[in-house]
Amino acid sequence: MTEEMILSIGRQALVTALLVAGPVLVLGLLAGLVVSLLQATTQLTDQTLAFIPKIVVVMLSVLLFGPWMLRTMLDFTGRVIGLLPSVVR
């Protein structure tokens, strides 16, 4: 196993992690921004108002993007497992 192969696998792992987590994080961030703007304009300071919409949005985004996220992780795992014979030698 060469250094280039290790760096390539590490880079692919980081890209895969960002791709899988990205949609959920972005939608959670947007939900938080909308709730914060709503709280700022209405001067509501209830803490549960900040968390409940974010939790709902994150759960819905996991349901929506779940199959794609699973496929992406399985593709990466398959590529890494496919490299095992070259590593074992």
Side-chain angles (χ1 to χ4, degrees):
M1 179 174 251
T2 64
E3 291 179 16
E4 292 87 21
M5 184 181 281
I6 294 171
L7 289 174
S8 174
I9 292 171
R11 188 178 323 107
Q12 289 175 6
L14 287 174
V15 168
T16 302
L18 289 173
L19 282 174
V20 168
V24 176
L25 291 175
V26 167
L27 289 175
L29 176 74
L30 290 175
L33 180 66
V34 168
V35 169
S36 294
L37 288 174
L38 178 70
Q39 282 183 324
T41 57
T42 60
Q43 295 183 354
L44 292 174
T45 58
D46 188 18
Q47 292 298 319
T48 58
L49 183 63
F51 290 111
I52 300 298
K54 283 192 265 186
I55 291 171
V56 170
V57 167
V58 167
M59 286 177 20
L60 289 175
S61 65
V62 168
L63 286 174
L64 179 67
F65 292 108
W68 173 80
M69 293 163 70
L70 181 63
R71 244 187 344 268
T72 303
M73 289 186 291
L74 286 175
D75 288 343
F76 173 73
T77 304
R79 286 193 309 263
V80 170
I81 290 174
L83 291 174
L84 282 179
S86 66
V87 172
V88 174
R89 284 193 266 150

